Amino acid sequence: MEFFPQLIACVLILVSLSSLQLRAETLSTFGTPGLIDMPTAVVLPDGHVAVTTSMFENNQRHTLTFQVLPRVYGTFRYSILRNLVPTGPNSGDVFDRSFDVHVQLLEERSNRPALAFGLRDIAGTSIFSSEYVVASKSIGPNLRVTGGLGWGRLAQRGSFANPLGILSSGFDTRAPRATTGQLAVDSFFQGPVAFFGGADIKLGKRLSLQFEYSSDAYDRERSVGNVNIDSPINLGLTYQFDQGPQLRGYLLGGTTLGLQFSYMFDPAKRPVPGGRDKAPVPFTHKALLKTADLGQPDALQKTQARLFHDLKQEGLVLQGFDVRGTRALVRIENQRWDVEAQAVGRAARRLARVLPMDIEIFEITLQQRGVPHSTVTLKRSDLVEVALHHDGAWRSLSRTRFADAPDLDRTGEPSQAFPVFDYSIGPYVALSFFDPDQPVRADAGVQVNASYRPSPGLTFSGVFRQPLIGNIDEATRVSDSVLPRVRSDAVLYAQQSDFEINELTAEYMFRPGDNLFGRVTGGYLESMFGGVSAELLWFPIESRLALGAELNYARQRDFDMLLGFQGYDVLTGHGSVYYDLGNGFTTQLDVGRYLAGDWGATFSLAREFNNGFKIGGFFTLTDVPFSQFGEGSFDRGITVEIPISWFTGRSSRRTFRQVIRPLQRDGGARLNVSNRLYGVTRDYRAQRLSAGWGRVFR
């Protein structure tokens, strides 16, 4: 504790001697807003993401932090600690996975500091297990001071009796974590506490200095020679680049040098503002026909042919066209735009240029795989009136009607609409995370996607891979699962396969009634299982709520991923509740039976931005006891979904999706069938159409 007053005195002296600029946020070695090792009460801007890599001596920390809510961020960290276990059967390096949560209780005001509390390593190995309460206050534009109380690992230096002991004697002693992967609720804010603190000083437009009194003494690391730390004083010097990157050098404990790179960005903002798409055609009328003329022989067919050609230029496929009085009924399938409202706007512009002026109403039905989802009704005069207004998109939204489109209508279907054959050939990369012997493994090769759709809703498709290079098959860990090995033998599929049939299915999607969607899929459903899957979804057009039910018969495939099957089969299925919370947040609860025969539920929460960038998390609890589940105790993870257009600036319906889970075992494993109905239908319902309406005139 004798270092803490000297630290504050040094901060004030440095501030008085410096000519300082506006301050910028810094990230700690743990990848969260902080000083060097110690946290602050600061949060990231709402929705921002920070990725950090920090290295010192025998340690590496790789961190992803997401500002889930304006005052709440969550963190996933992967740490490599060399030679942390010097002896025993598990001696050697430790590859540690940990989760953090930070909650800001009070924002900073002129008369008070920001106040927050946080939990580090809440469901990991407990190497970093700690809790804290921290306050931060800016003194002028160039100095921020921080002080706090730490528990657990943050009470290794200068600790004293827990003040919460006055509430209950249970706070006096910290309970050891019994099982890796379980929430350590029984140890939160228990045991001795210690002070920590420090300051962040802006030395110029880009340069800042951090120093701190650390209550983390690195007891375990020092005891085995993993790190050499002699002092509680840590120093850091951070350089802020344009567009989010930070580079930092730091000194831990007066002896250990470290280097850190961080990058913070806003997923809601595309790297290419406005995008690189061609400008839309204006709402200029060039048609010479009158409505009555469309009744002449071949006139309707000629108009249909022109519409088919013009819509194709916009990445839209015309699947139906009819005129009824002053109404034009058009069915389209969007193959380019990642925001359906933009597809509607592009289609409306083309209709306005081709159809006679006395056709006032455009009824645009959005279809997927030839199956109708919803109908958007607009007036031509409204579009022309508000298109150039500064808030024209939102004015047009108030005049637009969304309706369910439950009936399959093939009136006016162009001859080119069906059958449809499509294919693509390109590279693929398959990733495997968190093998204790190799943190990241990967395979790369050539992938062929092919599909044939003879009529609306019916699709025959396949995904085929030829691995060329990689090391996933070099993993040596053997499953010790006591459950049916539905996922833990994943490495055997890499080792015993060459050419792979990843999927080979027949799928039928249909509309059984108003606000109802159906799907039946049969064949080789995924890389490890084949069988039959049936699903029904109830999703009212204006509703935030959707309900689904799925039933599957699945049989385990041979490890060579060709046409054979193994002996294990299972009947599995779930009832699902989906709810749109607004502001981009969606929740999902799946309850039912999993591939290993266990019963339980999966809860998911995701935040999606209007450009399609999505970050979420999930956890699954089943009737498999933690002790039988194996390492990790229960299934959980993070999902990241990034539209390709976010990187390129050019509209595309392709996305990059990755699931980051600490370790996948057999408990809580679900069938990975493609095209589950909520994901297929959600973009076409009123909530998502309205959310993306700002791009209707783009």
Side-chain angles (χ1 to χ4, degrees):
M1 292 300 299
E2 66 273 18
F3 291 96
F4 195 68
Q6 289 91 326
L7 176 67
I8 298 301
C10 291
V11 170
L12 297 177
I13 292 171
L14 280 172
V15 172
S16 66
L17 294 177
S18 301
S19 175
L20 303 176
Q21 309 290 327
L22 295 175
R23 62 165 296 100
E25 301 303 337
T26 56
L27 299 172
S28 72
T29 62
F30 285 86
T32 64
L35 297 168
I36 297 94
D37 271 354
M38 298 296 103
T40 63
V42 177
V43 293
L44 301 175
D46 184 33
H48 278 50
V49 174
V51 290
T52 299
T53 291
S54 183
M55 297 172 286
F56 60 95
E57 206 162 336
N58 293 304
N59 298 268
Q60 298 179 31
R61 295 172 188 156
H62 308 282
T63 307
L64 171 69
T65 295
F66 178 45
Q67 191 69 40
V68 184
L69 295 168
R71 295 192 185 185
V72 180
Y73 65 70
T75 298
F76 172 72
R77 181 179 308 104
Y78 188 69
S79 304
I80 301 174
L81 302 93
R82 301 293 183 189
N83 302 315
L84 189 67
V85 182
T87 60
N90 297 316
S91 62
D93 303 336
V94 171
F95 300 88
D96 181 72
R97 302 167 294 271
S98 56
F99 292 88
D100 301 354
V101 175
H102 175 102
V103 179
Q104 188 183 67
L105 300 173
L106 297 173
E107 293 181 301
E108 182 178 342
R109 295 284 186 264
S110 59
N111 60 346
R112 75 176 189 214
L115 181 66
F117 75 89
L119 310 170
R120 275 186 183 170
D121 195 1
I122 59 176
T125 61
S126 79
I127 291 176
F128 301 115
S129 178
S130 52
E131 304 82 50
Y132 58 85
V133 175
V134 62
S136 298
K137 183 72 174 71
S138 297
I139 302 174
N142 311 305
L143 169 66
R144 177 184 288 135
V145 294
T146 291
L149 288 174
W151 286 257
R153 179 167 174 138
L154 291 178
Q156 290 182 352
R157 180 182 281 118
S159 62
F160 53 92
N162 191 344
L164 296 177
I166 63 174
L167 302 177
S168 169
S169 60
F171 286 105
D172 292 335
T173 304
R174 189 174 184 86
R177 182 173 297 177
T179 306
T180 297
Q182 297 182 28
L183 294 177
V185 177
D186 56 351
S187 65
F188 288 167
F189 298 99
Q190 292 186 348
V193 300
F195 285 115
F196 63 86
D200 189 349
I201 308 166
K202 190 72 175 175
L203 300 177
K205 182 179 180 180
R206 300 182 182 277
L207 196 63
S208 60
L209 172 70
Q210 298 80 41
F211 65 107
E212 66 185 14
Y213 170 87
S214 172
S215 57
D216 181 356
Y218 283 81
D219 285 347
R220 181 174 177 182
E221 291 88 342
R222 288 190 300 116
S223 69
V224 296
N226 168 271
V227 71
N228 178 25
I229 290 178
D230 296 330
S231 165
I233 300 298
N234 299 329
L235 299 172
L237 195 62
T238 302
Y239 186 82
Q240 177 73 51
F241 294 89
D242 289 333
Q243 307 301 322
Q246 290 180 1
L247 184 64
R248 167 192 275 173
Y250 55 91
L251 182 67
L252 294 181
T255 55
T256 299
L257 290 171
L259 185 66
Q260 174 179 315
F261 176 79
S262 301
Y263 179 63
M264 184 172 67
F265 65 96
D266 183 0
K269 294 182 179 179
R270 301 171 188 246
V272 183
R276 294 192 174 99
D277 296 315
K278 291 182 179 180
V281 298
F283 282 107
T284 303
H285 174 63
K286 293 185 177 180
L288 300 177
L289 293 174
K290 296 180 181 179
T291 306
D293 296 330
L294 292 178
Q296 299 299 318
D298 298 330
L300 194 63
Q301 287 76 15
K302 290 180 180 179
T303 304
Q304 180 196 82
R306 181 178 173 185
L307 275 175
F308 189 93
H309 174 271
D310 287 6
L311 289 171
K312 187 176 181 180
Q313 305 304 307
E314 302 285 0
L316 305 172
V317 177
L318 180 67
Q319 295 184 337
F321 169 65
D322 196 14
V323 173
R324 299 174 187 174
T326 61
R327 309 171 75 88
L329 286 67
V330 180
R331 302 191 304 280
I332 62 171
E333 184 162 314
N334 170 24
Q335 295 185 341
R336 176 182 300 169
W337 309 100
D338 48 0
V339 177
E340 293 300 328
Q342 192 168 2
V344 171
R346 293 280 175 143
R349 288 176 180 271
R350 292 292 182 173
L351 291 172
R353 290 175 64 85
V354 172
L355 299 180
M357 283 293 292
D358 49 357
I359 295 183
E360 169 66 6
I361 307 297
F362 299 156
E363 293 187 6
I364 301 173
T365 296
L366 300 169
Q367 304 202 147
Q368 180 70 276
R369 294 172 176 81
V371 178
H373 284 248
S374 59
T375 298
V376 182
T377 302
L378 316 96
K379 290 184 177 180
R380 181 206 296 258
S381 57
D382 288 342
L383 296 173
V384 174
E385 176 187 342
V386 304
L388 299 179
H389 200 279
H390 72 278
D391 63 347
W394 304 113
R395 287 176 179 246
S396 73
L397 178 60
S398 66
R399 308 177 189 188
T400 300
R401 185 170 65 88
F402 304 114
D404 187 35
D407 299 320
L408 178 62
D409 182 2
R410 303 189 69 172
T411 303
E413 182 178 281
S415 60
Q416 309 97 310
F418 297 97
V420 178
F421 176 70
D422 191 20
Y423 73 94
S424 65
I425 302 174
Y428 81 90
V429 176
L431 300 174
S432 173
F433 295 104
F434 311 131
D435 182 332
D437 298 321
Q438 183 74 40
V440 180
R441 295 182 184 272
D443 281 347
V446 178
Q447 177 171 300
V448 176
N449 296 273
S451 66
Y452 175 71
R453 186 171 301 116
S455 60
L458 178 61
T459 306
F460 300 94
S461 61
V463 179
F464 311 93
R465 285 181 175 178
Q466 178 61 60
L468 298 177
I469 58 173
N471 62 354
I472 293 180
D473 60 349
E474 296 175 7
T476 59
R477 299 278 170 160
V478 178
S479 173
D480 60 355
S481 179
V482 299
L483 301 173
R485 296 179 181 178
V486 295
R487 294 298 184 208
S488 61
D489 275 342
V491 67
L492 297 180
Y493 285 88
Q495 292 173 343
Q496 299 185 29
S497 65
D498 188 16
F499 174 76
E500 303 171 357
I501 302 175
N502 289 85
E503 293 181 25
L504 187 61
T505 61
E507 173 192 86
Y508 183 60
M509 287 191 176
F510 57 100
R511 296 296 310 271
D514 292 352
N515 299 310
L516 290 173
F517 299 83
R519 174 188 60 80
V520 178
T521 309
Y524 298 88
L525 301 174
E526 51 146 288
S527 59
M528 298 185 188
F529 283 88
V532 179
S533 173
E535 184 183 7
L536 183 67
L537 177 73
W538 175 77
F539 196 168
I541 183 70
E542 298 279 356
S543 177
R544 295 179 180 270
L545 174 70
L547 302 175
E550 179 181 292
L551 183 64
N552 312 296
Y553 168 75
R555 188 169 181 181
Q556 195 164 24
R557 296 178 59 184
D558 282 344
F559 294 132
D560 61 11
M561 280 192 276
L562 294 177
L563 300 178
F565 288 94
Q566 301 183 49
Y568 180 77
D569 63 350
V570 62
L571 190 66
T572 176
H574 288 77
S576 300
V577 180
Y578 311 89
Y579 193 76
D580 188 330
L581 298 169
N583 296 319
F585 286 93
T586 57
T587 60
Q588 179 176 338
L589 178 65
D590 303 299
V591 180
R593 193 180 194 216
Y594 294 83
L595 285 172
D598 47 332
W599 294 82
T602 299
F603 177 78
S604 306
L605 175 67
R607 183 173 183 179
E608 184 173 1
F609 301 92
N610 284 343
N611 57 27
F613 199 115
K614 182 190 295 186
I615 300 178
F618 66 91
F619 67 87
T620 299
L621 297 174
T622 73
D623 57 3
V624 175
F626 292 156
S627 59
Q628 292 185 24
F629 182 92
E631 183 181 353
S633 299
F634 64 97
D635 191 37
R636 59 197 179 277
I638 297 169
T639 58
V640 179
E641 189 169 321
I642 308 175
I644 298 301
S645 61
W646 193 88
F647 295 105
T648 66
R650 297 188 183 278
S651 292
S652 168
R653 297 183 65 79
R654 295 174 57 208
T655 60
F656 167 80
R657 186 176 189 274
Q658 185 65 55
V659 178
I660 304 172
R661 47 169 38 103
L663 189 69
Q664 185 167 24
R665 303 283 292 185
D666 297 312
R670 193 174 179 186
L671 191 68
N672 293 327
V673 63
S674 296
N675 300 324
R676 285 196 163 101
L677 290 173
Y678 184 74
V680 170
T681 62
R682 180 173 172 246
D683 284 349
Y684 301 95
R685 311 313 271 173
Q687 291 293 328
R688 289 293 295 168
L689 286 167
S690 298
W693 205 255
R695 298 188 67 85
V696 70
F697 292 128
R698 299 294 294 272

